[in-house]
Amino acid sequence: MSKKKKVEPLFLLSSDSLSSYGLDLVFQMAKDAGYDGVDLALWKNFDSWNTSYVKKLVTKHEMPVKVVQTSESINIKEMHKALDICESIGADTIAINAPKIFNLKAYSYLSDNLERLRDEYPQIKFSIINPEDANLFALPIPKYRFANVVEIIKKHGSYLGLDVANLDSDAFEDDFMRKLAQFVPYTSVIYFSDKTKLGKWHVLPGDGVLKLPAFLKKLKSTGYDRYFSTKIVLDKKDLADGDKVLTILTQAREYYKKNYEDLKEE
């Protein structure tokens, strides 16, 4: 009997990294930097709401959209657009940025509709992205309704869009790393970036303080086979220099290749 071929994760570019760029250029940058596809952030590029245009870009650049990402102010209109795009281009994951605690309308929409959406669209992995400084368990005074990572999975029955840089640093290096294998089956996409000692989020991997190589090494041993998505905050000065942006995106891709793809399992 032949051994089943292992499926490697795909490395995507989250389009909100290039929010001031037209979507055509985003796809081109992703291709030039060696990415496997695009994570489409609906609220960052106005043309991302044009389903037929997105489909044309997928064909033109031969770059699939695997994840459709919604805003923290999710509502029925945005969710229907996300589902429409998924159906049109074959994306299988909707990643929802967690509403802030004061956004009761968005929170209520998710709480009231997630179960129905899961049943109605079983081919879609509805996922909630953990917000900044999210912990694994209950926080004394949570800033966000979805601050508790375990609650995201258990109470709301969703998948986790794991934003590594948004995790509390201590929780990431201690609790989360220790229990990583338990979270992998419920994780649909990993937003991959670093954070600095001063608390600057979503910087280039290797430019911060997170122990990302150790995280990737342990993650590979779990057999994770879903998506990574590069989410980097670039300042306006960098965004104005297309060559520099391409260099930064390529560096992120090479970091992943060196510390994950080329890593030999023990």
Side-chain angles (χ1 to χ4, degrees), residues 14 36 48 61 65 84 95 105 154 161 184 186 212 222 232 244 254:
S14 179
D36 301 313
S48 66
H61 296 285
V65 171
D84 178 53
K105 193 172 182 180
K154 289 190 173 181
V184 165
Y186 306 100
L212 296 178
T222 69
I232 300 175
K244 187 170 184 179
E254 290 175 345

Coordinates of all heavy atoms in Angstrom, one line a residue, residues 14 36 48 61 65 84 95 105 154 161 184 186 212 222 232 244 254:
S14 N -1.8 38.2 3.0 CA -3.0 38.9 3.4 C -3.0 40.3 2.7 O -2.1 41.1 2.9 CB -3.1 39.1 4.9 OG -4.2 39.7 5.3
D36 N 1.9 31.4 -2.4 CA 1.1 30.4 -3.0 C -0.4 30.9 -3.3 O -1.1 30.2 -4.0 CB 1.0 29.2 -2.1 CG 2.3 28.6 -1.8 OD1 3.1 28.4 -2.7 OD2 2.6 28.4 -0.6
S48 N -12.1 44.6 -3.9 CA -12.2 43.2 -3.4 C -13.7 42.8 -3.3 O -14.0 41.6 -3.2 CB -11.5 43.0 -2.1 OG -12.2 43.8 -1.1
H61 N -3.3 36.1 -12.8 CA -2.1 35.9 -12.0 C -1.8 34.5 -11.6 O -0.7 34.2 -11.1 CB -2.0 36.8 -10.8 CG -2.1 38.3 -11.1 ND1 -1.0 39.0 -11.6 CD2 -3.1 39.2 -11.1 CE1 -1.3 40.3 -11.8 NE2 -2.6 40.4 -11.5
V65 N -7.3 32.5 -4.4 CA -7.7 33.1 -3.1 C -8.3 32.0 -2.2 O -9.2 31.3 -2.6 CB -8.9 34.2 -3.2 CG1 -9.4 34.6 -1.9 CG2 -8.3 35.4 -4.0
D84 N -20.3 34.8 -1.3 CA -20.4 34.9 -2.7 C -19.1 34.7 -3.4 O -18.9 34.0 -4.4 CB -21.0 36.3 -3.1 CG -21.1 36.5 -4.6 OD1 -21.7 35.6 -5.3 OD2 -20.6 37.5 -5.1
A95 N -12.3 34.2 7.4 CA -11.6 34.6 8.7 C -12.2 35.9 9.1 O -12.2 36.9 8.4 CB -10.1 34.7 8.5
K105 N -23.3 45.0 18.0 CA -24.1 44.6 16.8 C -23.4 43.5 16.1 O -24.0 42.5 15.7 CB -24.3 45.9 15.9 CG -25.3 45.6 14.8 CD -25.6 46.9 14.1 CE -26.7 46.7 13.0 NZ -27.0 48.0 12.3
K154 N -14.6 26.7 21.6 CA -15.6 25.9 22.3 C -17.0 26.5 22.3 O -18.0 25.9 21.9 CB -15.1 25.6 23.7 CG -14.0 24.6 23.7 CD -13.7 24.1 25.1 CE -12.7 23.0 25.1 NZ -12.4 22.5 26.5
G161 N -8.7 31.6 13.6 CA -7.7 32.3 12.7 C -6.7 32.8 13.7 O -6.8 33.8 14.3
V184 N -4.2 22.8 17.0 CA -4.1 22.6 15.5 C -5.3 22.1 14.8 O -5.7 22.6 13.7 CB -2.8 21.7 15.2 CG1 -2.9 21.2 13.8 CG2 -1.6 22.5 15.5
Y186 N -8.3 22.7 15.2 CA -9.3 23.8 15.2 C -8.8 25.1 14.6 O -9.5 26.1 14.6 CB -9.8 24.1 16.6 CG -10.2 22.8 17.4 CD1 -9.4 22.2 18.3 CD2 -11.5 22.3 17.1 CE1 -9.8 21.1 18.9 CE2 -11.9 21.2 17.8 CZ -11.1 20.5 18.7 OH -11.5 19.4 19.3
L212 N 9.7 32.6 17.0 CA 9.0 32.0 15.8 C 9.6 30.7 15.3 O 8.9 29.8 14.9 CB 8.9 33.1 14.7 CG 8.0 34.3 15.1 CD1 8.0 35.3 13.9 CD2 6.6 33.9 15.4
T222 N 3.3 18.7 14.3 CA 1.9 18.4 14.5 C 1.2 17.9 13.2 O 0.1 17.4 13.3 CB 1.1 19.6 15.1 OG1 1.0 20.6 14.1 CG2 1.8 20.1 16.3
I232 N 1.5 42.0 7.6 CA 2.6 42.9 8.1 C 2.0 44.3 7.9 O 1.5 44.7 6.9 CB 3.8 42.7 7.2 CG1 4.4 41.3 7.4 CG2 4.9 43.7 7.7 CD1 5.6 41.0 6.5
K244 N 10.9 48.1 -2.4 CA 11.1 47.8 -1.0 C 10.1 46.9 -0.5 O 10.3 46.0 0.3 CB 11.2 49.1 -0.2 CG 11.6 48.8 1.3 CD 11.9 50.1 2.0 CE 12.3 49.8 3.5 NZ 12.6 51.1 4.2
E254 N 10.8 33.9 2.5 CA 12.0 33.2 2.6 C 12.2 32.7 4.1 O 12.8 31.6 4.4 CB 13.2 34.0 2.2 CG 13.3 34.2 0.7 CD 14.4 35.1 0.2 OE1 15.0 35.8 1.1 OE2 14.7 35.2 -1.0

